[in-house]
Amino acid sequence: QVQLVQSGGDLVQPGGSLRLSCAASGSILSINAMGWYRQAPGKEREMVAVITTISITNYADSVKGRFTISRDNAKNTVYLQMNSLKPEDTAVYYCNARVVTNDYKRLEVWGQGTLVTVSS
């Protein structure tokens, strides 16, 4: 069993910053790509940022230059630093990890979601 536990969502004013964290735990042999996705009300879930095991990153155009994804492989944790937040960044943010378990199963695991609200 593998779990992703998220933290860091909050209400923030436009132009503000937030940092999201997501820690993986359980029967983990290795973690491949990790990422952050978001879903705004009435919209489909979309990719925000992803990072590989060797820290190659990819960002949605809407967040480039404002958001930074990083990971700590020793802690099985991925972070999302969000700066210059805009009201349109308001969404539930989900972390995602592609995991190989100790019994060699490949799983795609999602965090529980955390609400980020950008509003004055």
Side-chain angles (χ1 to χ4, degrees):
Q1 189 76 1
V2 177
Q3 289 185 323
L4 299 181
V5 178
Q6 300 178 217
S7 60
D10 205 346
L11 169 65
V12 63
Q13 291 188 342
S17 297
L18 276 178
R19 189 191 196 208
L20 305 182
S21 299
C22 173
S25 63
S27 179
I28 298 171
L29 179 64
S30 64
I31 302 177
N32 298 321
M34 303 183 81
W36 290 94
Y37 294 73
R38 68 186 181 187
Q39 187 165 18
K43 295 188 177 181
E44 293 189 353
R45 190 175 297 188
E46 63 175 357
M47 187 274 289
V48 176
V50 294
I51 185 168
T52 69
T53 51
I54 55 173
S55 296
I56 295 172
T57 58
N58 188 36
Y59 296 92
D61 288 343
S62 59
V63 306
K64 282 181 181 176
R66 301 188 297 122
F67 291 11
T68 302
I69 188 171
S70 61
R71 64 190 286 174
D72 184 333
N73 292 329
K75 296 181 179 179
N76 287 338
T77 299
V78 63
Y79 306 95
L80 186 68
Q81 177 67 43
M82 303 185 291
N83 299 328
S84 302
L85 282 160
K86 304 176 181 180
E88 51 264 42
D89 294 318
T90 296
V92 177
Y93 284 71
Y94 298 91
C95 64
N96 171 279
R98 298 178 185 271
V99 174
V100 179
T101 65
N102 287 332
D103 57 353
Y104 302 100
K105 293 179 182 175
R106 293 181 179 272
L107 302 177
E108 181 176 21
V109 188
W110 291 90
Q112 80 276 19
T114 186
L115 179 62
V116 172
T117 303
V118 184
S119 176
S120 55

